[in-house]
């Protein structure tokens, strides 16, 4: 068995906490919640991760997290934003990630907390073909 990829789960609310528990069954998981205002922590979390999953309620929360951590993310890492946002915002995140040599996908989710707990969420995913490889 090889080394497990490190996945950062950003947001430990109604959806993020059960998602992180399910991810921990297959991956090494680091967690960060937006209520922790120490941006050094978010940068450290991003720096140690191969994949970052963001599950926050608003686009403004996503912007705040990216401002604190995107510079620390390793080139070639994958950023997955599960927040329901506008197409324009998702495209801006994708462009910002590209400038940092990071792959990004927009992946709003459906299913609510019961399906997050059971690990049976549905994701509507968009991004570059390279991000899906």
């Amino acid at each position: 068995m090889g080394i497990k990829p490190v996945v950062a789960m950003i947001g430990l609310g109604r959806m993020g906490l059960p998602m992180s528990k399910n991810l921990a069954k297959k991956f090494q998981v680091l967690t960060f919640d937006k209520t922790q205002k120490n941006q050094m922590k978010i940068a450290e979390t991003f720096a140690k991760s191969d994949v970052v999953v963001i599950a926050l309620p608003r686009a403004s929360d996503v912007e705040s997290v990216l401002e604190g951590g995107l510079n620390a993310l390793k080139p070639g890492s994958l950023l997955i934003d599960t927040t329901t946002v506008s197409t324009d915002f998702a495209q801006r995140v994708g462009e910002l990630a590209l400038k940092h040599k990071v792959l990004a996908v927009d992946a709003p989710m459906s299913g609510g907390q019961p399906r997050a707990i059971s690990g049976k969420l549905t994701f509507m995913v968009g991004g570059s073909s390279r991000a899906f490889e």
Side-chain angles (χ1 to χ4, degrees):
M1 181 193 262
I3 298 171
K4 291 182 180 182
V6 178
V7 177
M9 186 72 219
I10 310 301
L12 300 175
R14 293 175 29 106
M15 302 298 284
L17 184 60
M19 289 169 63
S20 69
K21 289 179 179 180
N22 283 313
L23 285 167
K25 295 174 185 175
K26 299 278 184 182
F27 304 100
Q28 180 182 346
V29 176
L30 303 176
T31 60
F32 180 87
D33 192 73
K34 71 181 181 75
T35 59
Q36 298 172 333
K37 297 295 183 186
N38 182 347
Q39 292 299 321
M40 181 59 75
K41 172 77 167 90
I42 190 70
E44 290 172 7
T45 303
F46 272 56
K48 294 177 182 177
S49 303
D50 302 303
V51 177
V52 172
V53 180
I54 300 174
L56 297 172
R58 292 173 294 282
S60 60
D61 297 324
V62 174
E63 285 178 317
S64 177
V65 164
L66 292 177
E67 286 172 8
L70 192 56
N71 285 331
L73 201 51
K74 296 174 273 195
S77 298
L78 177 62
L79 175 68
I80 302 171
D81 182 12
T82 67
T83 308
T84 301
V85 296
S86 70
T87 303
D88 289 341
F89 183 80
Q91 288 174 340
R92 284 197 315 267
V93 169
E95 291 166 3
L96 187 60
L98 187 60
K99 288 179 185 175
H100 287 86
K101 298 183 173 131
V102 171
L103 302 170
V105 295
D106 178 44
M109 59 187 145
S110 176
Q113 190 177 34
R115 289 198 179 253
I117 292 168
S118 69
K120 295 183 179 180
L121 288 167
T122 299
F123 294 88
M124 288 68 63
V125 183
S128 70
S129 58
R130 188 164 169 243
F132 285 90
E133 293 175 355

